Amino acid sequence: MRYQSFLIKYAEIGIKGKNRNFFEESLVQQMKIALHRCEGKFRVYRFSGRVFVAVDSAHYDFDEVVGALQHVFGIVGICPMQIQDVIPYEELQEKVVQFFGEEYPEQTRKGLTFKVHCRRLAKNYPMDSQEINAALGEALLGAYPETAVDVHEPKVMVHVEIRERIYLYTHTIPGAGGLPVGSGGKAMLLLSGGIDSPVAGWMMARRGLKLDAVYFNAPPYTSERALQKVVDLAATVSAYTGPIYLHNINFTEIQLYIYEKCPHDELTIIMRRYMMRIAEAIARKTECGALITGESLGQVASQTMRSLECTNAVCTLPVFRPLIGNDKEEIIGISKKIGTYDTSILPYEDCCTIFVAKHPVTKPILDVIARHEHNLDEKIDEMVERALETDEVIIVDRDGRKN
């Protein structure tokens, strides 16, 4: 069946009060960007508190369009529709019976239950909603006696909306939910090659954040393949977020100096503190309002409550940790859902795993960590400046590296 339009359903946006227009417009803009990649011509517009996608092409790829819309945060449902001019009830009944038969062929109708739900916004239509519900239900049962009405838990809801035109639909395809990307500002994701950080970025983008990302490289201890792995992860996430500016930082000199000067059981914490300092410096330069990490409470030694206190102490920007209460299996489940898992488990080490201590401290004391950092003297500040100068900005979209 060829659908002429799609009704776009949202949830949270509908309770935004006076800010609703802003969020709706943000959603419309993200949908236009997503559909720009699809073959065909489409119009995205708002009308009477609804968002629609009109198809202005004779031919288009239905699966491609739905797939693009399913990657737009803010959409909870995608409803393929047929639209026609307002017509007398007799003609409407004929159209609805025909539409139902095309949507559900004979081999799928046995035992199928349905309910008709009419919304008559055009008050000059001669029948009201309840009358139309009853009449259309009777007509559908007469045409398809193998079906049955179930007003409580129907398998199919036949929607009929009578507005300036008549809209018919029965399917609601799930969307990604959340809020439109960019409606909540911009944040800097500390992106590694592991499972957690891409999921954390995806989750915060789902709350409306535009993402930049920073990756800490450690050549020659990490390979070009490790960097490519991170680029591939960013590309997968960018299918939901739009292009990501990935900042590739050479962290080798700092790691080796910390390894030489600091207690080995504190290596992970102190290295992490310098990563946060550098990430915050880049975030402020690029007008990001927060940092995002993939930390989950208690998952590893650097993610205990005391350890997180030590890393937080060097930041003045908010640090978002959306995975903080998730266990590993839950995180893996999300990574498989969004398509990052298979890339994350590729065996290319990043700097965090190469320089990990054999017996890391799990209950670090902030004053002790800060005192031991004094062993690094003024040289470490110079190294941080040199690391920031190595910043290679890689623009990544769903097709991969763009520059």
Side-chain angles (χ1 to χ4, degrees):
M1 177 183 293
R2 183 181 182 278
Y3 302 98
Q4 304 126 325
S5 185
F6 297 85
L7 167 65
I8 304 301
K9 293 187 175 182
Y10 53 71
E12 195 172 345
I13 293 174
I15 60 172
K16 291 300 182 182
K18 293 181 179 179
N19 293 319
R20 179 171 170 174
N21 282 340
F22 165 76
F23 284 94
E24 282 189 356
E25 190 55 37
S26 296
L27 178 61
V28 166
Q29 293 306 315
Q30 291 300 316
M31 290 168 59
K32 288 179 178 178
I33 292 169
L35 291 170
H36 185 70
R37 302 176 63 91
C38 299
E39 184 178 355
K41 294 182 179 180
F42 309 92
R43 284 183 296 113
V44 184
Y45 63 97
R46 297 186 293 158
F47 182 77
S48 296
R50 295 292 190 97
V51 177
F52 297 92
V53 177
V55 180
D56 291 339
S57 301
H59 302 284
Y60 71 97
D61 188 321
F62 176 84
D63 292 334
E64 181 185 43
V65 170
V66 170
L69 293 173
Q70 284 183 308
H71 282 76
V72 177
F73 290 130
I75 296 175
V76 298
I78 304 158
C79 305
M81 300 191 304
Q82 281 199 352
I83 304 175
Q84 54 195 54
D85 293 332
V86 176
I87 50 180
Y89 172 76
E90 291 73 16
E91 294 180 43
L92 173 62
Q93 176 179 301
E94 182 181 335
K95 292 289 184 183
V96 171
V97 169
Q98 179 184 356
F99 179 67
F100 188 91
E102 292 174 352
E103 289 280 85
Y104 302 97
E106 183 177 356
Q107 62 271 24
T108 68
R109 289 199 296 263
K110 186 175 181 180
L112 190 68
T113 59
F114 70 89
K115 176 183 177 180
V116 179
H117 181 258
C118 177
R119 294 184 68 196
R120 188 196 63 156
L121 283 81
K123 299 305 181 184
N124 59 344
Y125 202 77
M127 297 171 66
D128 65 26
S129 297
Q130 292 303 319
E131 292 172 331
I132 294 172
N133 287 339
L136 286 179
E138 183 179 357
L140 288 170
L141 281 175
Y144 307 112
E146 66 274 26
T147 65
V149 171
D150 185 341
V151 297
H152 300 294
E153 294 183 356
K155 293 181 181 178
V156 175
M157 186 73 79
V158 181
H159 292 274
V160 180
E161 296 196 6
I162 303 175
R163 297 169 176 262
E164 80 296 346
R165 303 186 75 190
I166 295 179
Y167 301 85
L168 307 177
Y169 65 96
T170 64
H171 290 101
T172 299
I173 302 166
L179 295 172
V181 169
S183 62
K186 185 170 71 165
M188 179 66 66
L189 170 66
L190 279 75
L191 182 61
S192 72
I195 294 172
D196 301 339
S197 58
V199 173
W202 180 89
M203 290 182 70
M204 292 312 303
R206 192 170 180 266
R207 297 309 304 155
L209 288 180
K210 179 82 174 70
L211 297 183
D212 281 359
V214 57
Y215 169 64
F216 293 94
N217 210 348
Y221 301 98
T222 57
S223 67
E224 188 64 28
R225 290 180 299 180
L227 172 60
Q228 184 59 49
K229 176 181 175 180
V230 172
V231 170
D232 292 342
L233 289 170
T236 302
V237 175
S238 74
Y240 293 90
T241 68
I244 294 174
Y245 285 71
L246 175 63
H247 298 261
N248 178 31
I249 299 293
N250 188 323
F251 199 60
T252 308
E253 184 182 30
I254 293 173
Q255 286 192 292
L256 291 175
Y257 193 55
I258 293 172
Y259 190 85
E260 176 189 346
K261 295 290 186 178
C262 296
H264 280 202
D265 64 342
E266 298 173 358
L267 286 177
T268 303
I269 295 296
I270 294 176
M271 288 179 185
R272 189 72 175 169
R273 279 161 63 91
Y274 277 94
M275 287 179 179
M276 299 293 272
R277 289 179 171 108
I278 291 170
E280 180 167 280
I282 299 172
R284 291 197 175 280
K285 182 179 178 181
T286 56
E287 299 183 338
C288 291
L291 303 180
I292 304 169
T293 75
E295 291 158 318
S296 171
L297 187 63
Q299 184 169 255
V300 294
S302 64
Q303 296 175 18
T304 65
M305 189 160 61
R306 289 272 192 88
S307 298
L308 295 176
E309 177 193 13
C310 291
T311 53
N312 264 23
V314 302
C315 299
T316 56
L317 287 177
V319 181
F320 296 148
R321 297 180 171 94
L323 306 181
I324 197 69
N326 292 91
D327 64 31
K328 198 65 178 183
E329 288 305 310
E330 291 170 330
I331 298 168
I332 288 172
I334 298 172
S335 72
K336 289 179 177 179
K337 171 186 172 182
I338 66 176
T340 57
Y341 179 75
D342 289 341
T343 303
S344 291
I345 62 174
L346 292 174
Y348 306 132
E349 302 285 2
D350 60 33
C351 64
C352 295
T353 53
I354 288 174
F355 287 89
V356 69
K358 289 185 178 180
H359 303 288
V361 61
T362 58
K363 294 182 179 179
I365 299 172
L366 180 57
D367 290 343
V368 174
I369 295 293
R371 186 164 65 249
H372 288 163
E373 280 188 355
H374 286 303
N375 296 337
L376 301 172
D377 56 52
E378 68 278 355
K379 289 184 180 179
I380 194 69
D381 294 330
E382 297 171 4
M383 291 178 183
V384 167
E385 289 302 317
R386 285 197 290 272
L388 287 167
E389 290 172 2
T390 69
D391 185 6
E392 175 195 11
V393 180
I394 303 169
I395 304 174
V396 184
D397 68 9
R398 64 192 302 169
D399 296 323
R401 189 171 182 159
K402 292 180 66 176
N403 61 335

